[in-house]
Amino acid sequence: MKIAITADLHLTTQEANPERFQTFADILDQCDKNDVEILVIAGDLFDKNITNFSDFESTCRKHAPEEIKIFVIPGNHDSGLIDSAIAIDQVTVIEKPSIESFDSEFLFLLVPYAEKVNMGEQIAQFRDKLEPKKWILISHGDWIGGVRPPDPYEQGVYMPISNADIVQYDPFQIFLGHIHLPSDSGKVHYVGSPCPIKSTETGQRRFIVFDSKEKSFQQIYVNCPWLYFNENFVVLPVENEKEHLKERIRQRIEGWGIPSTNEQKIKIRVSISGYTPDRSSITQLVKKEFSKYELIDDGPIVDELNQIVDPDRANLATAIEKWVGELNWDESELEPSKDEILIEALRTIYED
């Protein structure tokens, strides 16, 4: 059986945010193409508790495959959602933690968000029914063992699950909503927001299809109306600095993995820092290289790009860049990035 998992659609109304409904419709269409029988929405289907569900129901009627069953797990944004609110037989709202036997391969524990509890406490209710590695958790909350990026949209900690919980109860896989950045670390997977809510939600968006027979999952990219990218470049006042910068820009764009047919969807914030003898030409070069895309904030942002006229220290700057690039460095949220290290080194070199 194929079970699709998505989360964090944050639906409002068709009038206010048509792009979110367009994305949801695309997920339903792709479920049909991929023979998905179950769709689980792991929290924050709606941006807030609402009373009118006509736009959601209309999208389901138009796009949901006839045989698919949709399970909605309330998240912290729509924690008041109840099953009787949705007038479509295909849709079931999970009001309390429950086990679903979608097939004979695994048990699926679906846990809606609840305040002032942790996920381990919710799992403990089903301890006797959950055989190690024979069950899958789908819920909405924070994995304490992961690296959590700062998110102004979701401040605080929400119904956490710890590494100790994972070791103790030993699920086969864990699929979570809440953090909008897609990530996969061991058996813990944040499916991510399928349609970016803010410009900080960068890169291709996805949902996940788990094949219980094959005991594997794949990510399927969502055809959302736009994609955000944030790119930062450090400039050094060295020979051929412009060609060096052009090559790095080319590599970044290639690394996005976006087909040329989707280039019109891309919105990008570009910032340039470092030191150069010609700020104006660097700015024009960046505008030209990203001319296919919509630049956010009338970019590029050059507030941290400094004008220098002393070329004598260029060799030292080049050597520092090479040294920083070769560092075996863990760029976690608790440590500075290599670019940040390089900028501080350049300040030491150029700012007496």
Side-chain angles (χ1 to χ4, degrees), residues 323-343:
W323 176 77
V324 171
E326 293 174 350
L327 281 176
N328 183 14
W329 192 254
D330 178 18
E331 296 193 19
S332 71
E333 65 173 314
L334 301 177
E335 301 290 349
S337 67
K338 286 187 176 182
D339 279 352
E340 289 170 332
I341 294 171
L342 179 58
I343 285 295

Side-chain angles (χ1 to χ4, degrees), residues 192-208:
S193 54
C195 182
I197 308 302
K198 293 180 175 290
S199 61
T200 52
E201 297 172 28
T202 58
Q204 294 201 79
R205 317 313 294 172
R206 70 172 187 177
F207 69 101
I208 283 175

Side-chain angles (χ1 to χ4, degrees), residues 5-266:
I5 305 109
T6 188
D8 298 292
L9 281 140
H10 288 272
L11 300 181
T12 56
T13 64
Q14 183 72 46
E15 181 179 4
N17 296 106
E19 73 283 356
R20 301 180 193 180
F21 287 90
Q22 179 181 331
T23 299
F24 179 48
D26 181 71
I27 291 173
L28 293 172
D29 290 339
Q30 293 206 60
C31 282
D32 192 17
K33 294 175 184 176
N34 287 277
D35 299 320
V36 169
E37 297 178 58
I38 301 290
L39 170 62
V40 181
I41 302 172
D44 291 356
L45 169 61
F46 300 103
D47 191 56
K48 59 182 180 180
N49 290 316
I50 60 175
T51 58
N52 190 311
F53 301 91
S54 59
D55 288 340
F56 166 74
E57 292 170 346
S58 175
T59 304
C60 288
R61 291 189 183 100
K62 291 179 181 177
H63 295 274
E66 185 175 347
E67 301 301 322
I68 199 170
K69 294 182 179 179
I70 302 172
F71 292 82
V72 180
I73 299 172
N76 58 293
H77 278 257
D78 53 10
S79 59
L81 186 64
I82 57 176
D83 188 50
S84 61
I86 309 297
I88 296 181
D89 292 340
Q90 284 178 286
V91 178
T92 299
V93 176
I94 303 298
E95 298 182 16
K96 60 183 180 180
S98 61
I99 289 177
E100 298 291 336
S101 301
F102 296 144
D103 64 8
S104 60
E105 299 291 336
F106 293 96
L107 293 179
F108 290 80
L109 178 59
L110 310 185
V111 181
Y113 171 76
E115 290 186 352
K116 299 179 181 180
V117 298
N118 62 59
M119 220 173 292
E121 294 171 342
Q122 303 287 63
I123 298 171
Q125 306 172 50
F126 303 91
R127 179 195 303 268
D128 296 339
K129 298 179 181 179
L130 301 175
E131 184 180 349
K133 296 183 175 61
K134 294 292 186 179
W135 68 283
I136 289 170
L137 173 66
I138 306 179
S139 188
H140 189 88
D142 287 312
W143 172 38
I144 299 302
V147 175
R148 183 183 180 194
D151 187 352
Y153 204 69
E154 299 288 6
Q155 298 181 9
V157 177
Y158 295 79
M159 201 171 68
I161 184 170
S162 67
N163 282 336
D165 295 325
I166 296 171
V167 171
Q168 180 177 3
Y169 299 111
D170 198 14
F172 181 73
Q173 297 289 331
I174 298 172
F175 298 102
L176 298 176
H178 184 57
I179 302 301
H180 291 192
L181 175 70
S183 67
D184 303 292
S185 182
K187 62 176 64 177
V188 181
H189 312 278
Y190 279 107
V191 293
S193 54
C195 182
I197 308 302
K198 293 180 175 290
S199 61
T200 52
E201 297 172 28
T202 58
Q204 294 201 79
R205 317 313 294 172
R206 70 172 187 177
F207 69 101
I208 283 175
V209 173
F210 178 75
D211 188 322
S212 61
K213 183 177 180 181
E214 298 295 328
K215 298 180 174 59
S216 64
F217 72 91
Q218 67 176 128
Q219 62 178 6
I220 297 179
Y221 290 129
V222 180
N223 183 26
C224 56
W226 55 71
L227 299 170
Y228 288 112
F229 288 90
N230 291 332
E231 298 292 354
N232 305 292
F233 298 91
V234 178
V235 173
L236 279 71
V238 297
E239 187 177 358
N240 298 323
E241 65 173 350
K242 294 178 185 176
E243 292 303 315
H244 185 48
L245 178 58
K246 284 177 65 176
E247 176 60 18
R248 283 189 290 154
I249 291 173
R250 184 195 65 78
Q251 292 175 356
R252 295 282 181 89
I253 293 173
E254 187 177 274
W256 295 344
I258 304 297
S260 58
T261 52
N262 287 340
E263 287 180 343
Q264 75 282 359
K265 296 182 178 183
I266 293 175

